[in-house]
Amino acid sequence: MYLIGVVLLGFALDWLLGDPDSAWHPVCLIGRLVSRSERLLRRVFPHTPGGEFVAGVLLWLVVCSVSFAVPFFALRWLRGCSAWLGFAAETLLCWLILAQKSLADAGKAVYDALGQSLDAGRRAVARYVGRDTAALDEAGVIKVAVETVAENTTDGVIAPLLYLLIGGAPLGMLYKAVNTLDSMVGYHNERYEHLGKCAARMDDVCNFIPARLSAVCLLVAAGMLGLDSRNALRVFRRDRNAHKSPNAGQTESVCAGALHVQLGGDASYFGETVRKASFGDPDRAVRRPDILQTCDLMTTASVLALVLCAMVRLVLTGTALG
């Protein structure tokens, strides 16, 4: 009941307040640890494929170990001082680990910016993605926003919820470290092809089950919101494994089917075109309101995942006690 309590309260705080914009946010601290550790390891290890791979493995181990150990021992010490102090601290960490409101706000920011001008929409979506956005047309900006919300339903909300309910804030923070490492070094380019390989693979492993849970919750959410859940299931079954990543296509395919649009396709990163699979069928052109519908899908799926995971945790706890 302790873990369910801190996660529920953390989810409520995130729902109300979103992510605070602070340089002391745990994810920002993890990001600085990644950058400094990378610079050190690049000086120590040779600039060869093997040397960079070993450096990448050590980078992953160092960042993930610190990200788990710091909250683990800090919370242990705080609970030793006061049970209520430990409860409050872990609740705050759960709040900072979850990103449901921030993800919804990001989608709405792109929606509002596109209502002003295409350039404003490009600038807004560029804050949330790593791809090149300067040449995107309006449909391209909309698709990027929809894909970002759909894919980050796993990374930003449902995967953290699952790990929080398994191992509390320390395990949730370890997951954020895995995700942050992938977003910073897990690229297929000259600089990170070998150093980022471990980070990319471990992110795939840690998101394997959460991505499929997210897809199921999105399918149910589509039916609850009056969208075409039958078509979402059809496209999910057909396209979910088309992406190079074993996880990204799970949620994007559901959203594409529910909205009757086509998502994915080639994208430009750092001036280079990357071939990507498409999801769904081009039954109609994407429209600006699709961004808000995807945000609604994400929010509903997040609540469903919270209830489902909390119920499973409660049942397992009751069975263990019995």
Side-chain angles (χ1 to χ4, degrees):
M1 289 302 297
Y2 171 88
L3 274 183
I4 293 175
V6 295
V7 173
L8 284 173
L9 287 173
F11 188 90
L13 285 173
D14 176 63
W15 184 289
L16 293 171
L17 304 175
D19 254 352
D21 185 11
S22 169
W24 293 99
H25 191 289
V27 175
C28 295
L29 296 177
I30 291 172
R32 292 206 286 275
L33 177 61
V34 172
S35 297
R36 292 172 183 176
S37 299
E38 179 191 345
R39 287 197 297 270
L40 175 61
L41 289 167
R42 283 189 183 277
R43 288 198 296 267
V44 172
F45 287 87
H47 296 290
T48 63
E52 290 187 356
F53 177 75
V54 173
V57 172
L58 286 175
L59 175 66
W60 191 90
L61 289 172
V62 168
V63 172
C64 290
S65 297
V66 171
S67 299
F68 178 85
V70 170
F72 178 84
F73 288 108
L75 289 171
R76 186 175 179 180
W77 178 76
L78 288 170
R79 283 194 291 266
C81 297
S82 166
W84 286 108
L85 186 59
F87 182 89
E90 191 151 13
T91 297
L92 291 176
L93 283 176
C94 291
W95 163 38
L96 297 174
I97 288 167
L98 296 168
Q100 179 274 326
K101 187 176 188 299
S102 296
L103 186 54
D105 288 347
K108 291 170 185 173
V110 177
Y111 173 86
D112 291 338
L114 268 179
Q116 301 169 19
S117 69
L118 176 56
D119 283 340
R122 289 168 175 163
R123 289 193 298 272
V125 80
R127 291 196 290 267
Y128 308 110
V129 298
R131 70 180 70 182
D132 301 329
T133 61
L136 292 176
D137 58 11
E138 182 173 344
V141 173
I142 294 168
K143 286 176 65 175
V144 170
V146 169
E147 292 163 13
T148 299
V149 174
E151 184 175 350
N152 284 283
T153 299
T154 300
D155 298 350
V157 192
I158 294 180
L161 274 175
L162 182 60
Y163 285 108
L164 285 170
L165 283 165
I166 292 172
L171 191 61
M173 201 63 72
L174 188 151
Y175 171 78
K176 296 304 288 186
V178 171
N179 193 237
T180 302
L181 278 159
D182 179 61
S183 67
M184 292 182 69
V185 305
Y187 293 103
H188 290 290
N189 58 29
E190 184 178 353
R191 179 174 176 80
Y192 290 116
E193 181 64 34
H194 303 290
L195 187 137
K197 191 179 293 292
C198 176
R201 293 293 179 266
M202 292 307 298
D203 185 75
D204 288 343
V205 170
C206 292
N207 277 315
F208 190 85
I209 292 175
R212 285 143 186 84
L213 173 62
S214 300
V216 171
C217 290
L218 284 169
L219 282 166
V220 177
M224 293 174 66
L225 295 174
L227 298 174
D228 195 340
S229 58
R230 180 174 296 181
N231 192 58
L233 178 60
R234 180 185 68 82
V235 173
F236 169 71
R237 294 174 66 181
R238 186 192 70 190
D239 295 345
R240 68 186 186 276
N241 294 321
H243 202 286
K244 290 181 181 179
S245 163
N247 303 318
Q250 308 296 318
T251 50
E252 287 188 43
S253 59
V254 173
C255 288
L259 297 172
H260 278 275
V261 299
Q262 189 171 66
L263 301 175
D266 298 347
S268 176
Y269 293 86
F270 308 108
E272 296 183 8
T273 299
V274 177
R275 302 295 177 187
K276 287 191 170 186
S278 295
F279 306 97
D281 304 303
D283 297 332
R284 63 172 179 84
V286 292
R287 300 188 295 260
R288 197 160 65 99
D290 292 333
I291 300 174
L292 297 184
Q293 285 195 307
T294 307
C295 290
D296 290 341
L297 272 170
M298 178 275 299
T299 300
T300 306
S302 300
V303 175
L304 287 170
L306 174 66
V307 173
L308 177 62
C309 292
M311 288 177 62
V312 170
R313 173 79 195 193
L314 193 60
V315 169
L316 292 176
T317 301
T319 302
L321 291 175

